[in-house]
Coordinates of all heavy atoms in Angstrom, one line a residue:
L47 N -5.8 0.3 16.4 CA -7.0 -0.3 16.8 C -7.0 -1.8 16.6 O -7.5 -2.6 17.5 CB -8.2 0.3 16.0 CG -8.6 1.7 16.4 CD1 -9.7 2.2 15.4 CD2 -9.1 1.7 17.8
A48 N -6.4 -2.3 15.5 CA -6.3 -3.8 15.3 C -5.5 -4.4 16.4 O -5.9 -5.5 17.0 CB -5.7 -4.1 14.0
L49 N -4.4 -3.8 16.8 CA -3.6 -4.3 17.9 C -4.3 -4.2 19.2 O -4.2 -5.1 20.1 CB -2.2 -3.6 18.0 CG -1.2 -4.0 16.9 CD1 0.0 -3.1 17.0 CD2 -0.9 -5.5 17.0
L50 N -5.0 -3.1 19.4 CA -5.8 -3.0 20.7 C -6.8 -4.1 20.9 O -7.0 -4.6 21.9 CB -6.4 -1.6 20.7 CG -7.3 -1.3 22.0 CD1 -6.4 -1.1 23.2 CD2 -8.1 0.0 21.7
I51 N -7.5 -4.4 19.8 CA -8.5 -5.4 19.8 C -7.9 -6.8 19.9 O -8.3 -7.6 20.7 CB -9.5 -5.3 18.6 CG1 -10.2 -4.0 18.7 CG2 -10.4 -6.5 18.5 CD1 -11.0 -3.6 17.4
A52 N -7.0 -7.1 19.1 CA -6.4 -8.5 19.0 C -5.3 -8.7 20.0 O -5.0 -9.8 20.3 CB -5.9 -8.7 17.6
G53 N -4.7 -7.6 20.5 CA -3.5 -7.8 21.3 C -3.6 -8.7 22.5 O -2.8 -9.6 22.7
P54 N -4.6 -8.5 23.4 CA -4.8 -9.4 24.5 C -5.0 -10.8 24.2 O -4.4 -11.7 24.8 CB -6.0 -8.8 25.2 CG -6.1 -7.4 24.8 CD -5.6 -7.4 23.4
A55 N -5.7 -11.1 23.1 CA -5.9 -12.5 22.7 C -4.6 -13.1 22.2 O -4.3 -14.3 22.4 CB -7.0 -12.6 21.6
L56 N -3.8 -12.3 21.4 CA -2.6 -12.8 20.9 C -1.5 -13.0 22.1 O -0.7 -13.9 22.0 CB -2.0 -11.9 19.9 CG -2.8 -11.7 18.6 CD1 -2.2 -10.6 17.7 CD2 -2.9 -13.0 17.9
A57 N -1.6 -12.2 23.1 CA -0.6 -12.3 24.2 C -1.0 -13.4 25.1 O -0.1 -13.9 25.9 CB -0.5 -11.0 24.9
S58 N -2.2 -13.8 25.1 CA -2.6 -14.9 26.1 C -2.0 -16.2 25.8 O -1.8 -16.6 24.6 CB -4.1 -15.0 26.0 OG -4.6 -16.1 26.6
D59 N -1.6 -16.9 26.8 CA -1.0 -18.3 26.6 C -2.0 -19.4 26.8 O -1.6 -20.5 27.1 CB 0.3 -18.4 27.4 CG 0.0 -18.2 28.9 OD1 -1.0 -17.6 29.2 OD2 0.9 -18.6 29.7
G60 N -3.3 -19.1 26.9 CA -4.3 -20.1 27.1 C -5.6 -19.4 27.6 O -5.7 -18.2 27.7
P61 N -6.6 -20.2 27.8 CA -7.8 -19.6 28.3 C -7.7 -19.0 29.6 O -6.9 -19.4 30.5 CB -8.8 -20.8 28.3 CG -7.9 -22.0 28.3 CD -6.6 -21.7 27.7
A62 N -8.4 -17.9 29.8 CA -8.2 -17.2 31.1 C -8.9 -17.9 32.2 O -9.9 -18.6 32.0 CB -8.9 -15.8 31.0
E63 N -8.3 -17.8 33.4 CA -8.9 -18.5 34.6 C -10.0 -17.6 35.1 O -9.9 -16.4 35.1 CB -7.8 -18.6 35.7 CG -6.7 -19.5 35.4 CD -7.2 -21.0 35.4 OE1 -8.0 -21.3 36.2 OE2 -6.7 -21.7 34.5
P64 N -11.1 -18.2 35.5 CA -12.2 -17.4 36.0 C -11.8 -16.7 37.3 O -11.1 -17.3 38.1 CB -13.4 -18.4 36.2 CG -12.7 -19.7 36.3 CD -11.4 -19.6 35.5
V65 N -12.3 -15.5 37.5 CA -12.0 -14.8 38.7 C -13.0 -15.3 39.8 O -14.2 -15.3 39.5 CB -12.1 -13.3 38.5 CG1 -11.9 -12.5 39.8 CG2 -11.1 -12.8 37.5
P66 N -12.6 -15.7 41.0 CA -13.5 -16.1 42.0 C -14.4 -15.0 42.4 O -14.0 -13.9 42.5 CB -12.6 -16.6 43.1 CG -11.3 -16.0 42.9 CD -11.2 -15.7 41.4
A67 N -15.7 -15.3 42.7 CA -16.6 -14.3 43.1 C -16.3 -13.9 44.5 O -15.9 -14.7 45.4 CB -18.0 -14.9 43.1
A68 N -16.4 -12.6 44.8 CA -16.1 -12.0 46.1 C -17.2 -12.4 47.0 O -18.4 -12.5 46.6 CB -16.0 -10.5 46.0
A69 N -16.9 -12.6 48.3 CA -17.9 -12.9 49.3 C -18.8 -11.7 49.4 O -18.4 -10.5 49.3 CB -17.2 -13.1 50.6
P70 N -20.1 -11.9 49.7 CA -21.1 -10.8 49.8 C -20.6 -9.7 50.8 O -20.8 -8.5 50.6 CB -22.4 -11.4 50.2 CG -22.2 -12.9 49.8 CD -20.8 -13.2 49.9
D71 N -20.0 -10.2 51.9 CA -19.5 -9.2 52.9 C -18.5 -8.3 52.4 O -18.4 -7.1 52.7 CB -19.0 -10.0 54.2 CG -19.1 -9.1 55.4 OD1 -19.9 -8.2 55.4 OD2 -18.4 -9.5 56.4
L72 N -17.6 -8.8 51.5 CA -16.6 -8.0 50.9 C -17.1 -7.0 49.9 O -16.7 -5.9 49.8 CB -15.5 -8.9 50.2 CG -14.6 -9.7 51.1 CD1 -13.7 -10.6 50.3 CD2 -13.8 -8.8 52.0
V73 N -18.1 -7.4 49.2 CA -18.8 -6.5 48.2 C -19.4 -5.4 49.0 O -19.3 -4.2 48.6 CB -19.8 -7.3 47.3 CG1 -20.6 -6.3 46.5 CG2 -19.1 -8.3 46.5
G74 N -20.1 -5.7 50.1 CA -20.7 -4.6 50.9 C -19.6 -3.7 51.5 O -19.8 -2.5 51.6
S75 N -18.5 -4.3 51.8 CA -17.4 -3.5 52.3 C -16.9 -2.5 51.2 O -16.5 -1.4 51.5 CB -16.2 -4.3 52.8 OG -16.7 -5.1 53.9
L76 N -16.8 -3.0 50.0 CA -16.4 -2.1 48.9 C -17.4 -1.0 48.7 O -17.0 0.2 48.5 CB -16.2 -2.9 47.6 CG -15.1 -3.9 47.6 CD1 -15.1 -4.8 46.3 CD2 -13.7 -3.2 47.7
D77 N -18.7 -1.3 48.8 CA -19.7 -0.2 48.6 C -19.5 0.8 49.8 O -19.6 2.0 49.5 CB -21.1 -0.8 48.6 CG -21.3 -1.7 47.4 OD1 -20.6 -1.5 46.4 OD2 -22.3 -2.5 47.4
T78 N -19.3 0.3 51.0 CA -19.2 1.2 52.1 C -18.0 2.1 52.0 O -18.0 3.3 52.2 CB -19.1 0.3 53.4 OG1 -20.3 -0.4 53.5 CG2 -19.0 1.2 54.6
A79 N -16.8 1.5 51.6 CA -15.6 2.2 51.5 C -15.8 3.2 50.3 O -15.3 4.4 50.5 CB -14.4 1.3 51.2
G80 N -16.4 2.9 49.3 CA -16.6 3.8 48.1 C -17.5 5.0 48.5 O -17.2 6.1 48.2
S81 N -18.6 4.7 49.3 CA -19.5 5.7 49.7 C -18.8 6.7 50.7 O -19.0 7.9 50.7 CB -20.7 5.1 50.4 OG -21.5 4.4 49.5
L82 N -18.0 6.1 51.6 CA -17.2 6.9 52.5 C -16.2 7.8 51.8 O -16.2 9.0 52.1 CB -16.4 6.0 53.5 CG -15.5 6.8 54.5 CD1 -16.3 7.7 55.4 CD2 -14.7 5.8 55.3
G83 N -15.5 7.2 50.8 CA -14.6 8.0 50.1 C -15.3 9.2 49.3 O -14.8 10.3 49.2
E84 N -16.4 8.8 48.7 CA -17.1 9.9 47.9 C -17.7 10.9 48.8 O -17.6 12.1 48.5 CB -18.3 9.2 47.1 CG -18.9 10.2 46.2 CD -20.0 9.5 45.3 OE1 -20.2 8.3 45.4 OE2 -20.7 10.3 44.6
T85 N -18.2 10.6 50.0 CA -18.6 11.6 51.0 C -17.5 12.5 51.4 O -17.7 13.7 51.4 CB -19.2 10.8 52.2 OG1 -20.3 10.0 51.8 CG2 -19.7 11.8 53.3
L86 N -16.4 11.9 51.7 CA -15.2 12.8 52.1 C -14.8 13.7 51.0 O -14.5 14.8 51.2 CB -14.1 11.9 52.6 CG -14.4 11.1 53.9 CD1 -13.3 10.1 54.2 CD2 -14.6 12.0 55.1
M87 N -14.7 13.1 49.8 CA -14.3 13.9 48.6 C -15.2 15.1 48.4 O -14.8 16.2 48.1 CB -14.2 13.0 47.4 CG -13.7 13.8 46.2 SD -13.9 12.9 44.6 CE -15.6 12.8 44.4

Side-chain angles (χ1 to χ4, degrees):
L47 286 175
L49 285 176
L50 178 70
I51 293 168
L56 296 173
S58 167
D59 56 343
E63 293 291 324
V65 176
D71 204 21
L72 289 177
V73 172
S75 297
L76 290 173
D77 292 341
T78 301
S81 297
L82 175 64
E84 188 176 354
T85 299
L86 295 172
M87 181 190 70

